[in-house]
Amino acid sequence: MARRTGRRPGNPDTREAILTSARDAFAERGIDGASIRTIAAGAGVDPALVHHYFGTKDKLFLAVMNVPFDPSELLPQIVAGGSDGIGERLVRTFLRIWDSPAGAAGVALLRSVISNEWAARLMRDFVVTQILRRVVAGLDLSPAEAPLRTSLVASQLVGLAMARYLLRIEPLAHTPAEIAVAAIAPTVQRYLTGELTGVFEPATDVEQATGAQPPTGVEPATGVV
């Protein structure tokens, strides 16, 4: 009997094959460059089957990353209140997730980022496209300043996760969440909306009149515009 060709049937291995293909595609091309069609071809399935298992490309990316939360659900609630208090809302939500049982997945993710290059690339793309880009879209930030401001926020939150949950540096590891929020939120707020003396050059009268953006001396982060 001739062997049948075509897409794979829906069996227990299909989902893992899609995840493996997606992991390679996202690590190589980033979430913006990878397509559902390419991922499906790598898994040997029809693109419709990828949508059947995972829905959108963003959902597939979250499944690959094994992230314990969905930024598309949380971040709109955080930015809905506007710029005032955004630092406190960000840090409080961050700690609530990491202090919950779901935080174990986050710790495992941090460990993989440290030891694996493709995991680091995936994490970078996740932070840029799924978090920073959504924060920029939800707040009225200067396009010239937004990339660096949001990158500074990322440095604060990633550093907090490393110190509190992975390295478990005391007393931060067991500091009550409200105290951590009180200590860290003002810095996050300043990074997003405060005066960063010596970081951004003030616009000249000509630039203010024409709308041109002054150079900042910092290359914008890819995709965070």
Side-chain angles (χ1 to χ4, degrees):
M1 179 181 295
R3 183 178 180 181
R4 295 182 61 186
T5 60
R7 76 181 189 183
R8 297 179 184 178
N11 59 56
D13 295 331
T14 302
R15 189 177 189 276
E16 187 57 38
I18 294 171
L19 286 173
T20 299
S21 178
R23 186 179 298 114
D24 293 341
F26 289 140
E28 179 181 354
R29 306 182 183 188
I31 188 173
D32 289 334
S35 68
I36 291 293
R37 186 174 297 276
T38 299
I39 292 168
V45 301
D46 191 281
L49 202 56
V50 179
H51 289 294
H52 170 74
Y53 276 103
F54 298 99
T56 66
K57 185 167 68 170
D58 280 350
K59 297 291 187 182
L60 174 57
F61 186 61
L62 293 180
V64 166
M65 294 293 295
N66 194 27
V67 177
F69 67 97
D70 186 343
S72 67
E73 297 176 359
L74 285 178
L75 287 176
Q77 303 172 25
I78 295 172
V79 302
S83 298
D84 291 342
I86 182 68
E88 181 179 339
R89 295 194 299 275
L90 269 173
V91 177
R92 177 169 284 108
T93 302
F94 183 88
L95 290 173
R96 175 170 56 81
I97 294 169
W98 281 81
D99 285 342
S100 73
V107 173
L109 186 57
L110 282 179
R111 289 198 179 99
S112 68
V113 166
I114 292 173
S115 61
N116 191 293
E117 183 178 351
W118 69 258
R121 289 199 300 267
L122 289 174
M123 172 62 89
R124 182 169 56 248
D125 208 34
F126 168 75
V127 171
V128 170
T129 66
Q130 304 299 300
I131 298 180
L132 302 188
R133 186 179 292 176
R134 296 178 191 275
V135 171
V136 171
L139 299 177
D140 186 21
L141 300 179
S142 163
E145 298 181 4
L148 181 55
R149 285 184 178 276
T150 53
S151 295
L152 289 169
V153 172
S155 74
Q156 189 72 32
L157 296 181
V158 172
L160 172 60
M162 292 287 292
R164 182 176 172 93
Y165 303 102
L166 187 59
L167 300 178
R168 301 190 65 79
I169 297 175
E170 296 293 357
L172 179 59
H174 288 93
T175 295
E178 285 304 312
I179 294 178
V181 170
I184 298 167
T187 298
V188 172
Q189 185 73 42
R190 183 173 67 87
Y191 282 158
L192 281 174
T193 64
E195 183 70 26
L196 299 179
T197 304
V199 177
F200 301 111
E201 294 293 335
T204 65
D205 292 340
V206 173
E207 288 165 342
Q208 289 175 345
T210 61
Q213 297 293 342
T216 65
V218 180
E219 291 293 329
T222 303
V224 191
V225 294

